[in-house]
Amino acid sequence: MEALKSALQPLQPITNNLPAPIRDLGVSIIGDTCYKTLILDLDPTSTECVKLAISKGLGIGIIGASSIVKVPQILKLVQSKSSSGVSFLSYLLETSSYLISLAYNVRNGFPFSTFGETALIMVQNVVITVLVLNYSGRASMAALFVAALAASVVTLFTKDIVDMQMLGYLQAGAGVLGVGSKIPQIAAIWQEGGTGQLSAFTVFNYLAGSLSRIFTTLQEVDDNLILYGFIAGFALNLVLATQMVYYWNAPSAKARGKRKEAPVAAVDSSGASTATPKKGPTTRRRG
């Protein structure tokens, strides 16, 4: 580390004269002390500041990725106009969990870099849930779902309705909901014998994001309710990712059904087909 510190010292004239907007942004992200240590002094030997910088970087990266993480899933649903392989119950539970977690983090004043993706993913989840209901012939339920969601937002963010103690209990339940939301999706894939319209991009990004969130939570948030939820979520995201790999080239249940319906011609010992030929038109005159 000392060798790295010595190698970085010639860059100090640059880091000490960064434009004010960049300097202010750096201070707002990692704080005055770590900004001075890592940027002004170029000292990578401070373990705590390095961990904090990595945590903040991961958090910002997760938030950036979360802005598009469900877009491939949305596009697959719109293009196929089918909700095959996508569990409505899974998205309903996950959206409920994210809404509670968002309210809990905001009202506790936790750093945005530790939970920002929650709001972005929740909005995309709402779109996916509405599409799944619409393509499964339950359009009326989609309107009911949106109305219930709006009422829940008002309730959870109003301290006169839900106090912090109650919100803490709900957050504990949200962890269970978040974990439970993966189970219907895992079951749907197993029953279908394939991943259907489930997006691989979304599944693998969820896996990476949940692993990163364990690290950022350990570094920046002293709250076991949130930490245990991310650990459990990572375990089930790993199961989903494993299913995605296992069923990668597996045909859908619909495709397998079509294969079974196709007639197969038998072949006798001489190599001739025994399938009954279709009768064509004849010009023979009947007497």
Side-chain angles (χ1 to χ4, degrees), residues 47-71:
T47 305
E48 290 304 314
C49 283
V50 170
K51 286 182 178 179
L52 178 61
I54 292 173
S55 177
K56 291 294 187 180
L58 284 173
I60 293 170
I62 292 170
I63 293 171
S66 69
S67 63
I68 61 167
V69 69
K70 295 290 184 82
V71 172

Side-chain angles (χ1 to χ4, degrees), residues 59 63 101-107 109-120 213 216 221 226 230:
I63 293 171
S101 294
L102 180 62
Y104 183 78
N105 279 276
V106 170
R107 289 178 59 178
F110 292 142
F112 184 74
S113 61
T114 64
F115 71 90
E117 80 281 1
T118 302
L120 297 173
R213 271 295 170 233
T216 61
V221 178
I226 295 176
F230 281 129

Side-chain angles (χ1 to χ4, degrees), residues 9-254:
Q9 294 313 301
L11 298 175
Q12 271 193 313
I14 298 174
T15 59
N16 280 269
N17 291 282
L18 293 172
I22 296 178
R23 182 175 64 251
D24 293 342
L25 178 61
V27 170
S28 68
I29 293 174
I30 60 176
D32 289 313
T33 302
C34 286
Y35 182 84
K36 181 180 183 301
T37 301
L38 298 178
I39 307 301
L40 298 182
D41 298 339
L42 292 176
D43 181 8
T45 61
S46 174
T47 305
E48 290 304 314
C49 283
V50 170
K51 286 182 178 179
L52 178 61
I54 292 173
S55 177
K56 291 294 187 180
L58 284 173
I60 293 170
I62 292 170
I63 293 171
S66 69
S67 63
I68 61 167
V69 69
K70 295 290 184 82
V71 172
Q73 182 65 79
I74 293 171
L75 292 176
K76 285 194 75 171
L77 289 169
V78 171
Q79 291 170 358
S80 67
K81 298 196 182 326
S82 167
S83 58
S84 170
V86 182
S87 169
F88 161 71
L89 180 59
S90 177
Y91 273 94
L92 176 63
L93 294 176
E94 185 178 70
T95 302
S96 301
S97 170
Y98 274 31
L99 178 57
I100 295 170
S101 294
L102 180 62
Y104 183 78
N105 279 276
V106 170
R107 289 178 59 178
N108 273 291
F110 292 142
F112 184 74
S113 61
T114 64
F115 71 90
E117 80 281 1
T118 302
L120 297 173
I121 294 177
M122 191 182 76
V123 171
Q124 295 170 76
N125 274 355
V126 172
V127 175
I128 292 171
T129 305
V130 170
L131 289 173
V132 168
L133 288 171
N134 185 53
Y135 293 139
S136 60
R138 293 175 287 177
S140 58
M141 282 187 62
L144 182 61
F145 165 73
V146 173
L149 184 67
S152 299
V153 169
V154 173
T155 301
L156 291 171
F157 280 87
T158 304
K159 63 181 180 179
D160 293 333
I161 301 177
V162 178
D163 60 22
M164 287 305 301
Q165 183 178 12
M166 178 59 70
L167 192 57
Y169 294 144
L170 289 174
Q171 175 60 29
V176 177
L177 283 178
V179 173
S181 69
K182 307 298 179 185
I183 296 175
Q185 184 61 73
I186 292 170
I189 293 174
W190 181 76
Q191 290 171 355
E192 290 270 340
T195 55
Q197 302 306 316
L198 192 64
S199 168
F201 177 84
T202 298
V203 170
F204 289 115
N205 269 272
Y206 254 42
L207 179 65
S210 58
L211 179 60
S212 299
R213 271 295 170 233
I214 293 174
F215 178 80
T216 61
T217 302
L218 285 170
Q219 291 303 310
E220 301 183 58
V221 178
D222 184 18
D223 195 312
N224 288 333
L225 284 176
I226 295 176
L227 176 62
Y228 296 153
F230 281 129
I231 292 174
F234 171 75
L236 290 180
N237 281 329
L238 183 60
V239 174
L240 275 173
T242 303
Q243 285 184 312
M244 183 63 69
V245 172
Y246 182 78
Y247 291 114
W248 192 266
N249 293 315
S252 65
K254 187 176 180 180

